[in-house]
Structures are given as structure tokens and as C-alpha cells.
Amino acid sequence: MKYYHGTTQDSAECIEAEGFMGSDVSKFTSGFDTGSRDGVVFLTDSIEEAKGYGEVVFEIELLNAEPTFFQESPVSNAKEFYVDCATLRNDGIWSRI
């Protein structure tokens, strides 16, 4: 399955140069614990939903792992997920679309 990550132009340039750097899960998902020291990357199953988070969208495919379901989008029917950054770097393929 393909997932999408929306971000700013500046962050997209960093992702392309250095790979994904995770966000602190507790700042968005109080009470969740991924066990990851690298933080997480938030994903959605909707390109349109991802566009709401920034002008640049990355398409992401996880080869062997599955992201963790987080919530139904509060503004659409999209589903939102997160994946720990280490898993994404080791198991994911991504490209700017």
C-alpha cells in the first residue's frame, strides 16, 4: 500500500538530502509510545490529506513493515498513521510527487 507525507519545501529538501528525521510522537499523540528513540513520521492514505500538511508530498511504500494506525482524519475520510523513523529508513522507499 502507498502512503503519503505532506511537508514544507524546506523540510522536503532536508528529506531529500538526509532522509526522514522523525517528529517527537508525544507532541502529537499524547499517551502513545512507539519505543522509538528516532521519533516517527506521520503518514496518510490520501494525497489530498497530505497536501493539507504542506506544499510538497512524498509517496511512501513500506516493503515489509506496516505503519501504526493513528486516527481517522478530522477533516476527511482519510486514515492517518505513523511509522517509526528507523523502520521507514530501513524498509521504505519514497519519492517526491
Side-chain angles (χ1 to χ4, degrees), residues 19-69:
F20 279 92
M21 305 292 171
S23 298
D24 180 5
V25 72
S26 64
K27 126 178 161 180
F28 297 104
T29 57
S30 180
F32 286 77
D33 179 16
T34 66
S36 173
R37 294 183 189 176
D38 288 339
V40 298
V41 175
F42 291 93
L43 310 172
T44 178
D45 61 355
S46 164
I47 292 172
E48 292 304 314
E49 182 78 13
K51 288 178 182 176
Y53 290 97
E55 66 270 19
V56 178
V57 175
F58 284 88
E59 182 178 84
I60 297 168
E61 185 173 357
L62 297 172
L63 300 175
N64 298 298
E66 292 291 327
T68 301
F69 174 76

